Amino acid sequence: MAAVRRKGARAYVSVTQSEMTEKVEKYAPLVKRIALHLKARLPANVEVDDLIQVGMIGLMDAINHYEQGHGASFETYASIRIRGSMIDELRALDWVPRSVYQNGKLISNAIHKLTVSLGRDPKETEIAQELGVSLNKYHQMLQDSVATQLIGFEDLGVTDDVISENIHNHNEDKPFAYLSSLEFKKALANSIKELPEREQLILSLYYTDELNLKEIGKVLGISESRACQLMSQSMGRLRSMLKDWDNKS
């Protein structure tokens, strides 16, 4: 039976080897599902088996550090740990050029500036003009930057530092308070409602139904590359909408 250690008002469970084995076997399918979901938007040279391997390390880390009563289910907590392990490994490999990350920020900033000045969602042609590039070049920037969007919280306005701090800082009373706050959920839900209808649908198909971009293209009757562009653009719009809220938080 697991031994319970106490720190303040929270209980920490010391996991035995048999309990570790049992949970690893139970949640191994979760690791594989997350790995396949990430693999769908990664270059061909990234092996899914490598993602699963580092994801299993994240799972075991989650089992060892999960706190009873911290407000998040184990599966939610483990999912963040598993994704985090995979993404840390990908970033260590430095597989995405720095220019791609910079282009993603430029797109988000351009959308934010135009939204404020125009009082509405800017059109693709307007965003391209603000960036000083052709429409074809803008579409290419969108397609390239979607590969950097690996984790939902980061994509939707919550930074890696915030996630890491809330997961690892056991001195805080509510480690997951920021991620699960009603204010963020409301801000995110309201922002999604303001997206163009097709972009709302793409986000739903991608994050809720867990379809990949090729499958989304088939559902919408568009090419995979166009689905990729719209996905990236929707993320740019959301980051723009949530920028002021995130700064205040």
Side-chain angles (χ1 to χ4, degrees):
M1 187 171 180
V4 177
R5 306 194 308 275
R6 293 197 172 274
K7 184 178 181 181
R10 297 189 304 279
Y12 294 79
V13 179
S14 178
V15 181
T16 65
Q17 184 60 48
S18 61
E19 289 171 329
M20 172 67 76
T21 301
E22 181 183 351
K23 280 206 167 186
V24 165
E25 291 177 354
K26 180 178 179 180
Y27 290 99
L30 174 65
V31 175
K32 184 176 182 180
R33 185 165 72 247
I34 293 172
L36 291 172
H37 190 53
L38 286 181
K39 171 58 182 169
R41 39 182 159 163
L42 295 172
N45 63 308
V46 178
E47 298 289 341
V48 70
D49 287 344
D50 293 338
L51 293 176
I52 291 174
Q53 183 176 355
V54 295
M56 293 300 291
I57 296 173
L59 172 60
M60 289 186 286
D61 192 46
I63 294 169
N64 279 323
H65 292 91
Y66 180 67
E67 301 171 18
Q68 297 289 343
H70 65 12
S73 69
F74 175 76
E75 185 165 340
T76 298
Y77 180 80
S79 295
I80 295 175
R81 284 279 192 171
I82 293 164
R83 282 192 180 92
S85 294
M86 295 177 184
I87 292 166
D88 284 346
E89 178 69 11
L90 290 167
R91 286 175 175 162
L93 295 174
D94 198 23
W95 58 277
V96 177
R98 185 173 298 275
S99 61
V100 173
Y101 288 105
Q102 292 173 340
N103 283 342
K105 291 182 180 179
L106 288 173
I107 291 170
S108 179
N109 290 338
I111 291 173
H112 186 265
K113 180 179 178 180
L114 288 170
T115 301
V116 171
S117 63
L118 297 174
R120 58 170 172 80
D121 287 333
K123 300 176 182 177
E124 289 183 317
T125 52
E126 293 169 330
I127 299 170
Q129 185 176 2
E130 175 66 26
L131 291 169
V133 299
S134 68
L135 186 58
N136 286 338
K137 175 62 177 177
Y138 172 59
H139 284 164
Q140 186 59 55
M141 291 169 68
L142 287 173
Q143 195 158 338
D144 290 342
S145 65
V146 80
T148 68
Q149 296 164 355
L150 295 173
I151 186 167
F153 290 121
E154 183 185 44
D155 294 343
L156 302 179
V158 181
T159 64
D160 284 343
D161 291 340
V162 172
I163 294 172
S164 177
E165 179 182 354
N166 279 281
I167 289 176
H168 295 292
N169 189 352
H170 299 301
N171 294 321
E172 295 295 330
D173 291 334
K174 297 179 180 179
F176 268 72
Y178 184 87
L179 298 182
S180 61
S181 70
L182 289 176
E183 289 79 7
F184 177 74
K185 290 179 180 178
K186 288 178 182 178
L188 177 57
N190 290 335
S191 295
I192 291 174
K193 289 177 182 178
E194 293 178 17
L195 290 174
E197 186 175 346
R198 186 159 61 164
E199 292 181 17
Q200 290 185 45
L201 179 56
I202 286 175
L203 288 180
S204 177
L205 292 172
Y206 192 80
Y207 283 103
T208 303
D209 298 329
E210 297 191 348
L211 300 185
N212 60 39
L213 293 169
K214 184 176 182 179
E215 293 167 333
I216 291 173
K218 289 182 178 179
V219 170
L220 298 181
I222 58 178
S223 67
E224 180 179 358
S225 62
R226 183 56 178 158
C228 176
Q229 293 163 8
L230 291 172
M231 172 74 176
S232 185
Q233 185 168 267
S234 68
M235 287 301 176
R237 293 190 199 277
L238 282 177
R239 282 195 297 269
S240 169
M241 294 179 204
L242 291 168
K243 181 177 293 186
D244 292 337
W245 184 91
D246 191 41
N247 288 338
K248 291 176 183 177
S249 299

